[in-house]
Amino acid sequence: MENLSIIVSFELTLDPFSIPPRAKYPIFLFGIFIYMFGAFCNLSLLLLIILTQSLHKPIYFILFSLPLNDFVGITSMLPKGFLLHLYGGAVLFILAAMAFDRYIAICMPLRYNALMTP
């Protein structure tokens, strides 16, 4: 019987993200287009919720925070730091508020209007 040793070596390497010089401007324009489209959609949702009086209810105040937070998120991806952490914390807070709202609506439907006031 022969003694065999198997040596397995895993090496983690990160390949650089290289952009060819000819593709620099098309990629930049594509990124600007995506940013402008996201900003336009989020700002139009915010304007819709602000201007429509029938949407001034507790659940819509929570839903108002989602496009606002998304706008902060897409804007903060370039200057990383404080805004990025603010964005992450706001996402968690909004999801917790939505969960609490649905909990009250499902578990205490008769008291929902008394507990969830504007």
Side-chain angles (χ1 to χ4, degrees):
M1 180 173 226
E2 188 176 322
N3 186 6
L4 294 175
S5 296
I6 299 174
I7 299 174
V8 178
S9 174
F10 293 103
E11 184 176 328
L12 179 65
T13 60
L14 296 174
D15 294 331
F17 181 70
S18 60
I19 298 173
R22 292 183 328 183
K24 188 184 332 180
Y25 294 111
I27 290 174
F28 174 75
L29 291 175
F30 184 66
I32 289 293
F33 173 73
I34 289 175
Y35 172 77
M36 293 298 226
F37 180 72
F40 173 74
C41 291
N42 285 319
L43 290 176
S44 63
L45 277 172
L46 290 172
L47 190 64
L48 176 74
I49 292 173
I50 289 171
L51 295 178
T52 307
Q53 290 293 326
S54 65
L55 299 180
H56 291 187
K57 295 178 181 163
I59 187 65
Y60 293 108
F61 289 133
I62 296 171
L63 291 177
F64 177 81
S65 347
L66 286 172
L68 181 65
N69 195 32
D70 285 341
F71 182 72
V72 170
I74 62 173
T75 304
S76 69
M77 288 302 158
L78 294 178
K80 292 184 170 64
F82 174 73
L83 289 176
L84 194 59
H85 292 286
L86 179 72
Y87 169 70
V91 166
L92 295 176
F93 179 75
I94 291 169
L95 290 174
M98 290 175 73
F100 180 72
D101 179 72
R102 292 296 89 199
Y103 170 76
I104 296 296
I106 292 169
C107 294
M108 300 177 221
L110 298 177
R111 296 185 58 207
Y112 179 78
N113 289 332
L115 293 174
M116 300 298 288
T117 59

